[in-house]
Amino acid sequence: MKKRIVSFVLAAMLFMIFILPVSAYQSLDNSTQPLPHSEFASQIQLSNTSLTDKQAAVLANYVQKQLFSKYAGLYAFDHFSFEFGNEKIETDKFSIDVNVNVDMTLIRNPIDSPYVKGMQTAVSELRNEHEKMIGQNEIDAFLQETESYYNTPSPSTFLYRMEIGISSPILLESIQSLNYDIQLTLFDRADITTEETIVTPATSERLDESMAADYGKKAINEAVTKRNGIANHLAISYDRLAARDYALAHAFDVPEFSAANGMGSDCANFVSKALNAGGIPVNRAGKWYPSPSRGNYAGENWMRTGYYNNGGVVPYMLNKGYFSRQNNISKVYSGSILYRTDTSHVALVTYGDGTTVKFTEHSNYPVTRKNIVYTGSRANFYTP
């Protein structure tokens, strides 16, 4: 009975969203107009929810508009699909999770980015020819990395939670009074484990690149300072792309450590396997080694994140000098490590075009997505 009431309320609320004037949304030019609602039908999957196809299409259209607004002029989006599930009903609120799968294409040439403009300015201000060469090499390396993504579709996933609230604390009263105070709120969602999900308010505001030019200048100055100093050459070779390829190829593998077998979560184990595939050597003495067989634990530095200060893959990589903290997200490339600062979780960066970072992860259950777009602020990044 409760679901029937909620469905009726949703129908009324979403009807009001349908008839909102265009000005209630971010304005879009003709080239980025979303598909009509009727064309969403084959692109929407509903799992254990009271939403109708038409209601889901309204919500999908809303999310699509947010993405067009936030990434306008930077990315093109094609082949949307939406997965709705994990519906929750409370006395004055309805929430549902939505996974957005889409081809995301970088349409701004990296050489035109404010970050590269800042790098070029810094090089022009150098007086030493040797330092100019170092700076130009830094620019060339950045463009070589990022231009491979230019005009190339990248299958991507956005994770959201949507909440629809009504003013009355009792749904039945809201139906009878027909006095709906619609509050639709979009949250970025991080599925850490089956027991832990973290949500933070999402925004449709355009990506903030106000500091990008300054970061570009800083990157050149750091490169010059580093090259002029004494380099610490490590006796290993790390192939970032091999690590990325491992993560993408094994994203959907059954987790070795899971809730099902009572052995915890597989996030650090997955990242360690990817790093090892990239060339980081196993070190039994350093407790960074894989499980010898199913049902057995790996070394503590291999299977832990480092969040609880009891060993882990991140502190191990830092202590060995293989990775270092990177505060400039424009320099976070494939093969880097994403380390959450609000919970024990790590992932491998599998895409970095200088503007957007995407990651692939494992959990304590089999995941069904990869190349998740990082939209938050609660993570540190570590690069080789």
Side-chain angles (χ1 to χ4, degrees):
M1 178 64 180
K2 187 175 183 180
K3 281 209 170 189
R4 187 178 302 172
I5 293 174
V6 171
S7 184
F8 183 86
V9 173
L10 279 174
M13 290 194 297
L14 293 175
F15 172 76
M16 294 181 70
I17 296 175
F18 257 129
I19 63 175
L20 283 175
V22 174
S23 60
Y25 296 116
Q26 298 289 339
S27 61
L28 303 170
D29 60 35
N30 291 334
S31 64
T32 58
Q33 284 291 346
L35 297 172
H37 302 304
S38 60
E39 295 186 33
F40 275 119
S42 63
Q43 301 167 317
I44 291 177
Q45 296 180 28
L46 302 177
S47 177
N48 298 318
T49 172
S50 58
L51 284 178
T52 66
D53 289 342
K54 192 171 184 179
Q55 291 167 349
V58 177
L59 297 181
N61 190 43
Y62 177 86
V63 172
Q64 191 184 39
K65 286 175 181 287
Q66 304 303 301
L67 290 175
F68 282 139
S69 175
K70 183 172 184 175
Y71 295 100
L74 300 176
Y75 296 90
F77 294 95
D78 294 292
H79 308 117
F80 277 93
S81 67
F82 300 85
E83 302 168 1
F84 289 90
N86 192 32
E87 175 182 292
K88 294 182 181 178
I89 301 169
E90 301 177 24
T91 55
D92 60 347
K93 182 173 62 180
F94 170 92
S95 69
I96 192 164
D97 290 346
V98 54
N99 303 338
V100 184
N101 302 303
V102 63
D103 285 344
M104 185 176 182
T105 304
L106 179 66
I107 58 174
R108 182 182 67 186
N109 193 321
I111 201 170
D112 296 324
S113 69
Y115 181 74
V116 172
K117 298 298 184 186
M119 297 175 84
Q120 292 171 334
T121 298
V123 170
S124 70
E125 294 172 350
L126 295 172
R127 295 292 175 260
N128 182 291
E129 289 302 318
H130 176 66
E131 292 181 346
K132 281 182 176 290
M133 182 184 69
I134 293 173
Q136 187 58 51
N137 288 342
E138 187 75 6
I139 295 175
D140 293 343
F142 175 83
L143 292 176
Q144 183 179 7
E145 174 76 25
T146 58
E147 285 184 339
S148 63
Y149 299 116
Y150 179 49
N151 283 333
T152 302
S154 170
S156 308
T157 299
F158 291 84
L159 303 180
Y160 293 116
R161 175 165 293 171
M162 305 187 78
E163 288 187 357
I164 303 173
I166 52 179
S167 59
S168 173
I170 302 176
L171 291 174
L172 186 57
E173 288 182 4
S174 296
I175 295 172
Q176 293 171 340
S177 66
L178 296 179
N179 180 23
Y180 304 109
D181 180 13
I182 299 173
Q183 303 164 7
L184 195 158
T185 308
L186 191 66
F187 296 89
D188 292 316
R189 191 182 94 244
D191 297 332
I192 307 302
T193 64
T194 51
E195 300 84 18
E196 183 180 13
T197 297
I198 297 174
V199 296
T200 52
T203 176
S204 63
E205 294 179 1
R206 184 177 170 84
L207 287 180
D208 183 6
E209 295 186 290
S210 59
M211 296 298 296
D214 289 338
Y215 289 145
K217 292 179 181 179
K218 184 178 179 181
I220 294 299
N221 293 330
E222 288 178 347
V224 169
T225 301
K226 181 178 179 181
R227 299 290 174 82
N228 282 339
I230 299 175
N232 179 24
H233 297 288
L234 298 173
I236 66 160
S237 176
Y238 176 61
D239 186 337
R240 298 183 297 101
L241 300 186
R244 175 203 65 186
D245 292 346
Y246 176 92
L248 292 174
H250 295 273
F252 303 154
D253 287 0
V254 175
E256 189 173 1
F257 305 138
S258 67
N261 60 25
M263 297 184 71
S265 183
D266 204 51
C267 68
N269 180 51
F270 175 70
V271 168
S272 289
K273 286 181 175 180
L275 298 179
N276 181 235
I280 303 295
V282 166
N283 181 0
R284 296 194 68 85
K287 299 181 180 180
W288 195 73
Y289 58 87
S291 167
S293 60
R294 284 270 176 179
N296 291 293
Y297 285 110
E300 62 185 38
N301 286 327
W302 181 284
M303 67 179 187
R304 295 174 180 170
T305 65
Y307 184 77
Y308 294 110
N309 298 316
N310 59 350
V313 59
V314 169
Y316 176 80
M317 293 297 150
L318 293 176
N319 291 336
K320 295 293 288 185
Y322 297 155
F323 280 70
S324 59
R325 172 80 179 274
Q326 179 55 259
N327 294 316
N328 184 352
I329 200 166
S330 294
K331 297 180 70 174
V332 175
Y333 305 135
S334 294
S336 302
I337 301 171
L338 181 154
Y339 173 85
R340 289 199 68 101
T341 58
D342 54 357
T343 192
S344 180
H345 190 69
V346 290
L348 194 85
V349 174
T350 46
Y351 177 102
D353 64 16
T355 300
T356 295
V357 167
K358 304 173 191 176
F359 62 91
T360 299
E361 63 188 354
H362 264 204
S363 183
N364 68 344
Y365 63 94
V367 301
T368 57
R369 51 189 175 267
K370 53 188 175 182
N371 264 351
I372 301 167
V373 178
Y374 176 72
T375 55
S377 59
R378 300 179 180 181
N380 291 336
F381 292 96
Y382 297 90
T383 57

